[in-house]
Amino acid sequence: QTTSLTELVHQHLTAARGASSGRSAHTVYGGHEHTLRQTLIALASGQARGGRAGGRRVDEHESPGEATLQVLHGSVRLTEDESAWDGSAGDLLVIPLGRHGLEALEDSVVLLSVAVQG
């Protein structure tokens, strides 16, 4: 089975730009019956409260297991406590096992790969 990530990037970035949440997501591979799960997540940049320019965020949450983010388009910031790692198209970020968050620094699309612990 072949999936065009390039096509999905364009499709979901367009959807994210039109959504009030500024997000769009698509399961590329996996599901509850698989250990490996891959999800494409598109985040449109937007205006933060108070009129400041800012990115869309995925609020802090617990890690479901070992995971990576491959940045397919744009640039993002992965955060954990006081630490932050920036990634741009072509970068692979290892997601911390603790609570973490994600912010789109510009319109961005990432591929989240998670190995869910049984």
Side-chain angles (χ1 to χ4, degrees):
Q1 178 180 351
T2 302
T3 301
S4 171
L5 293 177
T6 301
E7 185 177 312
L8 287 175
V9 164
H10 294 297
Q11 178 184 346
H12 286 276
L13 198 49
T14 298
R17 288 173 177 147
S20 61
S21 67
R23 299 181 194 176
S24 182
H26 173 76
T27 299
V28 176
Y29 177 83
H32 294 292
E33 67 279 1
H34 296 280
T35 302
L36 175 63
R37 298 179 190 167
Q38 293 182 299
T39 305
L40 182 133
I41 303 168
L43 300 168
S45 62
Q47 295 289 83
R49 289 183 180 89
R52 286 186 12 251
R56 299 288 179 162
R57 301 185 61 85
V58 175
D59 292 333
E60 281 195 2
H61 56 280
E62 294 294 332
S63 179
E66 291 183 81
T68 61
L69 275 179
Q70 180 181 0
V71 184
L72 301 175
H73 179 87
S75 61
V76 297
R77 177 168 293 140
L78 179 63
T79 59
E80 178 190 38
D81 295 325
E82 300 300 317
S83 299
W85 304 271
D86 290 349
S88 56
D91 289 343
L92 182 72
L93 302 171
V94 176
I95 297 177
L97 289 175
R99 289 186 63 76
H100 61 277
L102 181 68
E103 178 182 4
L105 302 176
E106 58 184 290
D107 287 357
S108 300
V109 181
V110 298
L111 181 64
L112 169 65
S113 298
V114 179
V116 179
Q117 304 300 317

